[in-house]
Amino acid sequence: MSSATPEFGPPPVDAIDAAALDRLFRTARTPSAWSPAPVAEETIRALYDLVKLGPTSGNCSPGRFVFLTTRDSRERLRPALSAGNVERTMSAAVTVIVAQDPMFFDNLPRLYPAEEARSWFAADHGLAEETAFRNATLQGGYLILAARALGLDAWPMSGFDSLKVDEIFLAGSGWRSNFLVNLGYADGAPATPRGPRLTFDEACMLL
Amino acid sequence: MSSATPEFGPPPVDAIDAAALDRLFRTARTPSAWSPAPVAEETIRALYDLVKLGPTSGNCSPGRFVFLTTRDSRERLRPALSAGNVERTMSAAVTVIVAQDPMFFDNLPRLYPAEEARSWFAADHGLAEETAFRNATLQGGYLILAARALGLDAWPMSGFDSLKVDEIFLAGSGWRSNFLVNLGYADGAPATPRGPRLTFDEACMLL
């Protein structure tokens, strides 16, 4: 896909092809309903193998992912869900609890040996919390796009009781839930057109 | 890229190709140095046109993006940068301030007309803050991957004084800085191997 380097002019561009841009962004949509098709465990493992490669601050990698792959495990989630999110979750192949480990910095001597980074976070609870939330959220964004890259559809949700989710699923781990992503294969096209987006001039400045 | 639907077995998979997976995740790296090649304004606009399509909670779209495209604008950023981030920023083609608009909910009657969502956030400052931070961060993650999709390299950074950045660049807008992303074209391969990542069993649970 790379073009030859021109002698003058823009640098060689090694962009992804139009079909991939469509699948990730341009024609991708949050589904309205799920097909009953299951998601293979190897697809879930392939998904994490992409997600883990996305960049985080100082490779801190605070994102944690709880894959609810059975009807039973999703039934345990039901009391924590907003009413509007129950059916789309119970009918999904997989629900991912995107979480963060507030003690992520204990892995830094291994993940980022170049600096003594562990102590920056161990000494500053607010910085650690913010770093965990920001970077686990980034990793959740990578998960949404990596799922699409693998041919899955993603239905992210933040309508749930995070304290309940932590109590039901994360009590032993110390991890904290951030948002949820239903995964599966969409049943047909979404029922409604895509919502409008802000224009460049509304959302951006060029300085 | 889609295969025919089999009568039995897994659903048709419309995954992106190996070259695109490489560019986005598998061989993608944060650069060690920048080439002097500029980034065209049309590339910046194409970037936002992808980023804006990524999903946010109730289409709330709180992410704001300030593109510093000139040496002068980046010089104004210098006093807010951590020492280690100065050279990689001054030598980049573009620096993006990924920010959020804490008043994002004023756009909801237009962005998400299906529900009276504005009042949920107008009445709950904590929910509005958390929603703005989470979803602008997701949009920042989309920006990192969309930049790679367009053939750019991305160098995200959180080592900076966000209050100073807000004062210097965002005072008139009310937007708040979240993190920075340098954009450009890498000068060669990174100087160091990719950092290790957590294994599936360390970062994931399968329930």
Side-chain angles (χ1 to χ4, degrees), chain B residues 46-191:
Chain B
L47 179 62
Y48 177 68
D49 280 341
L50 294 175
V51 170
K52 73 181 181 187
L53 298 178
T56 57
S57 178
N59 197 28
C60 65
S61 308
R64 301 292 181 267
F65 307 95
V66 181
F67 295 93
L68 307 179
T69 63
T70 66
R71 181 81 197 195
D72 279 359
S73 60
R74 279 197 305 284
E75 282 296 340
R76 292 170 61 203
L77 182 62
R78 185 192 285 265
L81 294 171
S82 306
N85 286 333
V86 170
E87 178 49 31
R88 64 189 62 160
T89 302
M90 294 304 147
S91 58
V94 176
T95 302
V96 191
I97 303 169
V98 176
Q100 54 254 9
D101 183 352
M103 300 300 288
F104 71 91
F105 47 81
D106 280 338
N107 294 312
L108 283 175
R110 177 165 50 116
L111 297 178
Y112 190 57
E115 307 221 34
E116 207 296 272
R118 185 188 175 283
S119 61
W120 309 341
F121 300 103
D124 187 338
H125 183 72
L127 177 68
E129 287 268 309
E130 184 182 309
T131 301
F133 185 39
R134 177 184 295 111
N135 288 278
T137 303
L138 280 178
Q139 291 183 281
Y142 304 150
L143 180 129
I144 291 168
L145 294 184
R148 289 175 170 181
L150 293 177
L152 294 164
D153 293 290
W155 196 331
M157 309 181 298
S158 36
F160 68 100
D161 182 331
S162 65
L163 294 179
K164 261 193 200 156
V165 167
D166 294 358
E167 190 187 305
I168 298 169
F169 292 102
L170 306 179
S173 66
W175 304 352
R176 303 232 188 90
S177 56
N178 183 333
F179 67 103
L180 306 177
V181 185
N182 286 324
L183 296 177
Y185 298 95
D187 184 18

Side-chain angles (χ1 to χ4, degrees), chain A residues 14 16 23 48 52-53 57 59 65 67 69 110 133-134 149 158 178 196-198 202-205 207, chain B residues 14 16 23 48 52-53 57 59 65 67 69 110 133-134 149 158 178 196-198 202-205 207:
Chain A
D14 193 18
I16 69 174
R23 174 130 255 302
Y48 177 68
K52 73 181 182 188
L53 298 178
S57 178
N59 197 28
F65 307 94
F67 295 92
T69 64
R110 176 164 52 113
F133 185 40
R134 177 184 294 112
S158 36
N178 183 333
R197 297 299 198 266
L198 299 177
E202 289 175 306
C204 303
M205 293 187 229
L207 300 179
Chain B
D14 192 19
I16 69 174
R23 174 130 256 302
Y48 177 68
K52 73 181 181 187
L53 298 178
S57 178
N59 197 28
F65 307 95
F67 295 93
T69 63
R110 177 165 50 116
F133 185 39
R134 177 184 295 111
S158 36
N178 183 333
R197 297 300 199 266
L198 300 176
E202 288 175 307
C204 303
M205 292 189 230
L207 301 180

Side-chain angles (χ1 to χ4, degrees), chain A residues 43-186:
Chain A
T43 304
I44 293 172
R45 290 180 177 272
L47 179 62
Y48 177 68
D49 281 342
L50 294 175
V51 169
K52 73 181 182 188
L53 298 178
T56 56
S57 178
N59 197 28
C60 64
S61 308
R64 301 294 181 266
F65 307 94
V66 182
F67 295 92
L68 307 180
T69 64
T70 67
R71 179 81 197 197
D72 279 0
S73 60
R74 279 197 304 285
E75 282 295 340
R76 292 169 61 203
L77 181 62
R78 183 192 286 267
L81 293 172
S82 306
N85 286 332
V86 170
E87 177 49 31
R88 64 189 61 159
T89 302
M90 293 304 146
S91 59
V94 176
T95 302
V96 192
I97 303 169
V98 176
Q100 53 255 9
D101 184 353
M103 300 300 288
F104 71 90
F105 47 81
D106 281 338
N107 295 311
L108 283 175
R110 176 164 52 113
L111 297 179
Y112 191 57
E115 308 220 35
E116 208 296 272
R118 185 189 174 283
S119 60
W120 308 343
F121 299 104
D124 187 338
H125 183 72
L127 178 68
E129 287 267 310
E130 184 182 309
T131 301
F133 185 40
R134 177 184 294 112
N135 287 278
T137 304
L138 280 179
Q139 291 182 280
Y142 304 151
L143 180 129
I144 291 168
L145 294 184
R148 291 175 170 181
L150 293 177
L152 294 164
D153 294 290
W155 195 331
M157 307 182 298
S158 36
F160 67 102
D161 182 331
S162 65
L163 294 179
K164 262 193 200 155
V165 167
D166 295 359
E167 190 187 305
I168 298 169
F169 292 101
L170 306 179
S173 65
W175 304 352
R176 301 230 190 94
S177 56
N178 183 333
F179 66 103
L180 306 177
V181 186
N182 286 324
L183 296 177
Y185 299 94

